[in-house]
Amino acid sequence: MGKKDEITLTNQRWKAIFSNDTAYDGAFYYAVTTTGIYCRPSCKSKLPIREHVRVYVTAEAADQAGFRPCKRCKPDGKRLPDEEWISQIAGFIETGYAEPLTLNALSQAFHGSPYHLQRTFKRIMGVSPSRYIQQVRMEKAKELLLHTDMSVMDIAVAVGISNAAHFATLFRKKTGCTPTTYSSTYNPQHIGR
Ligand SMILES: [Zn+2]
């Protein structure tokens, strides 16, 4: 697939996207580079930043450029299996744990209602999205406590929790000891200090 399959985001097309104009459905598809998802112009998902939008003539072209069909507007005419949808969201959490992730932010980025996302995520992953976010953050925090010399404050921020006291509480709940104790007990550089 060449560059020819991508077409220009003209003002007219941009207007079709931000006004959710159904008249343009089928005429083009737009993909969002930050989420990796593509939509029909009429999709009522959150309006992306214009610079992040790529436009394709066909759904196949968007697919082959590496984008995935939106669950909400189903631009490829197929329904994305729940397992695949949830694994995309889990993957997003695993790489984006440093960001302020909320159920609302996830539901906007992945085009499903917060209620539906919460229920489907829990059914497939066995834990709620917020619990999963917390698990991922605590695992990353453990890694940093074990393998770096970063302060607890810096680690809290690095895993997306700006409040160090809140971080320490969560960490203790999860592991049974404070971040400092964990580091001095298990970090090879700190043992015996
Ligand atoms: Zn959509």
Side-chain angles (χ1 to χ4, degrees):
M1 298 304 283
K3 196 83 181 148
K4 66 183 164 55
D5 300 299
E6 188 180 331
I7 54 175
T8 312
L9 178 58
T10 57
N11 286 334
Q12 191 187 20
R13 291 186 181 124
W14 177 239
K15 184 165 179 277
I17 294 169
F18 73 65
S19 57
N20 306 133
D21 192 343
T22 52
Y24 287 85
D25 283 357
F28 72 88
Y29 298 82
Y30 73 97
V32 182
T33 56
T34 45
T35 60
I37 289 173
Y38 69 92
C39 286
R40 299 173 194 274
S42 70
C43 185
K44 294 202 167 44
S45 60
K46 187 175 173 247
L47 187 69
I49 296 172
R50 184 169 175 162
E51 285 67 42
H52 296 159
V53 173
R54 302 286 178 272
V55 181
Y56 298 92
V57 185
T58 60
E60 292 71 38
D63 257 327
Q64 289 181 25
F67 294 101
R68 298 176 304 258
C70 166
K71 181 152 174 98
R72 188 164 178 172
C73 66
K74 303 177 183 78
D76 60 347
K78 284 181 274 184
R79 195 169 172 274
L80 184 67
D82 283 343
E83 285 73 17
E84 201 184 315
W85 185 51
I86 294 303
S87 95
Q88 287 172 9
I89 297 172
F92 185 78
I93 293 171
E94 285 151 22
T95 54
Y97 58 87
E99 306 299 320
L101 296 174
T102 62
L103 183 60
N104 276 331
L106 290 174
S107 79
Q108 284 178 346
F110 290 92
H111 305 180
S113 75
Y115 174 76
H116 178 66
L117 194 158
Q118 170 90 5
R119 265 190 40 194
T120 313
F121 195 97
K122 195 159 182 186
R123 176 166 60 77
I124 288 166
M125 300 293 287
V127 291
S128 67
S130 60
R131 176 63 66 87
Y132 191 70
I133 291 167
Q134 213 181 81
Q135 280 179 5
V136 169
R137 285 176 169 162
M138 291 306 120
E139 286 308 310
K140 297 293 168 186
K142 278 195 208 166
E143 270 177 46
L144 293 172
L145 287 165
L146 280 186
H147 302 298
T148 72
D149 248 339
M150 287 165 73
S151 70
V152 171
M153 180 71 215
D154 287 346
I155 290 174
V157 172
V159 300
I161 302 171
S162 51
N163 181 326
H166 179 56
F167 166 71
T169 306
L170 286 175
F171 190 88
R172 187 169 188 162
K173 239 194 206 162
K174 180 89 187 149
T175 63
C177 65
T178 65
T180 314
T181 308
Y182 187 86
S183 164
S184 61
T185 310
Y186 300 111
N187 187 328
Q189 300 170 52
H190 294 172
I191 293 172
R193 264 196 201 175

